[in-house]
Short mmCIF file of all heavy atoms in Angstrom, two decimals:
data_model
loop_
_atom_site.label_atom_id
_atom_site.label_comp_id
_atom_site.label_asym_id
_atom_site.label_seq_id
_atom_site.Cartn_x
_atom_site.Cartn_y
_atom_site.Cartn_z
N ASP A 137 28.80 38.63 -11.55
CA ASP A 137 28.25 38.36 -10.23
C ASP A 137 27.58 36.98 -10.17
O ASP A 137 27.62 36.32 -9.13
CB ASP A 137 27.24 39.43 -9.84
CG ASP A 137 27.93 40.75 -9.46
OD1 ASP A 137 29.13 40.69 -9.14
OD2 ASP A 137 27.26 41.78 -9.48
N LYS A 138 26.95 36.57 -11.26
CA LYS A 138 26.30 35.28 -11.29
C LYS A 138 27.28 34.14 -11.16
O LYS A 138 26.97 33.08 -10.60
CB LYS A 138 25.48 35.15 -12.58
CG LYS A 138 24.51 33.96 -12.59
CD LYS A 138 23.67 33.94 -13.83
CE LYS A 138 22.72 32.74 -13.83
NZ LYS A 138 21.91 32.68 -15.06
N SER A 139 28.51 34.34 -11.68
CA SER A 139 29.51 33.26 -11.60
C SER A 139 29.96 33.01 -10.17
O SER A 139 30.54 31.97 -9.88
CB SER A 139 30.72 33.64 -12.47
OG SER A 139 31.39 34.78 -11.92
N ASN A 140 29.69 33.95 -9.28
CA ASN A 140 30.00 33.77 -7.86
C ASN A 140 28.72 33.96 -7.04
O ASN A 140 28.61 34.86 -6.25
CB ASN A 140 31.09 34.77 -7.44
CG ASN A 140 31.59 34.50 -6.01
OD1 ASN A 140 31.38 33.43 -5.46
ND2 ASN A 140 32.25 35.48 -5.42
N SER A 141 27.78 33.05 -7.28
CA SER A 141 26.43 33.23 -6.74
C SER A 141 26.36 33.15 -5.23
O SER A 141 25.38 33.55 -4.62
CB SER A 141 25.48 32.22 -7.37
OG SER A 141 25.85 30.90 -7.02
N LEU A 142 27.40 32.58 -4.60
CA LEU A 142 27.39 32.45 -3.14
C LEU A 142 28.25 33.51 -2.46
O LEU A 142 28.31 33.53 -1.22
CB LEU A 142 27.89 31.06 -2.75
CG LEU A 142 26.97 29.89 -3.09
CD1 LEU A 142 27.61 28.57 -2.70
CD2 LEU A 142 25.63 30.03 -2.41
N GLY A 143 28.91 34.36 -3.24
CA GLY A 143 29.71 35.41 -2.63
C GLY A 143 30.75 34.86 -1.68
O GLY A 143 30.98 35.40 -0.59
N ASP A 144 31.42 33.77 -2.09
CA ASP A 144 32.46 33.13 -1.29
C ASP A 144 31.94 32.43 -0.02
O ASP A 144 32.71 32.06 0.86
CB ASP A 144 33.56 34.12 -0.88
CG ASP A 144 34.27 34.69 -2.10
OD1 ASP A 144 34.49 33.93 -3.06
OD2 ASP A 144 34.58 35.89 -2.10
N SER A 145 30.63 32.24 0.07
CA SER A 145 30.09 31.46 1.19
C SER A 145 30.45 29.99 1.01
O SER A 145 30.63 29.50 -0.10
CB SER A 145 28.56 31.57 1.23
OG SER A 145 28.16 32.89 1.56
N GLN A 146 30.59 29.33 2.14
CA GLN A 146 30.91 27.89 2.14
C GLN A 146 30.07 27.21 3.22
O GLN A 146 29.88 27.77 4.31
CB GLN A 146 32.40 27.66 2.44
CG GLN A 146 33.33 28.11 1.34
CD GLN A 146 33.70 26.98 0.39
OE1 GLN A 146 33.55 25.82 0.71
NE2 GLN A 146 34.14 27.35 -0.81
N VAL A 147 29.64 25.98 2.96
CA VAL A 147 29.04 25.18 4.00
C VAL A 147 29.76 23.84 4.03
O VAL A 147 29.96 23.20 3.00
CB VAL A 147 27.52 24.98 3.79
CG1 VAL A 147 27.17 24.47 2.41
CG2 VAL A 147 26.95 24.02 4.84
N VAL A 148 30.19 23.46 5.23
CA VAL A 148 30.85 22.18 5.45
C VAL A 148 29.89 21.30 6.23
O VAL A 148 29.49 21.67 7.35
CB VAL A 148 32.15 22.34 6.22
CG1 VAL A 148 32.81 20.97 6.46
CG2 VAL A 148 33.13 23.25 5.46
N VAL A 149 29.50 20.19 5.64
CA VAL A 149 28.64 19.22 6.34
C VAL A 149 29.53 18.19 6.99
O VAL A 149 30.34 17.53 6.35
CB VAL A 149 27.68 18.53 5.33
CG1 VAL A 149 26.79 17.52 6.08
CG2 VAL A 149 26.83 19.54 4.61
N CYS A 150 29.38 18.06 8.30
CA CYS A 150 30.18 17.11 9.07
C CYS A 150 29.26 16.10 9.75
O CYS A 150 28.32 16.50 10.46
CB CYS A 150 31.02 17.85 10.12
SG CYS A 150 32.09 16.80 11.12
N ASP A 151 29.51 14.83 9.51
CA ASP A 151 28.67 13.80 10.11
C ASP A 151 29.56 12.60 10.47
O ASP A 151 30.52 12.30 9.76
CB ASP A 151 27.57 13.37 9.12
CG ASP A 151 26.39 12.69 9.84
OD1 ASP A 151 26.59 11.60 10.40
OD2 ASP A 151 25.31 13.26 9.81
N ILE A 152 29.20 11.92 11.53
CA ILE A 152 30.01 10.78 11.99
C ILE A 152 29.69 9.51 11.21
O ILE A 152 30.45 8.55 11.22
CB ILE A 152 29.78 10.55 13.51
CG1 ILE A 152 30.87 9.64 14.08
CG2 ILE A 152 28.36 9.99 13.77
CD1 ILE A 152 30.81 9.50 15.59
#
Side-chain angles (χ1 to χ4, degrees):
D137 286 340
K138 191 175 180 182
S139 66
N140 188 16
S141 64
L142 291 177
D144 298 322
S145 294
Q146 291 267 339
V147 52
V148 179
V149 179
C150 181
D151 201 295
I152 195 172

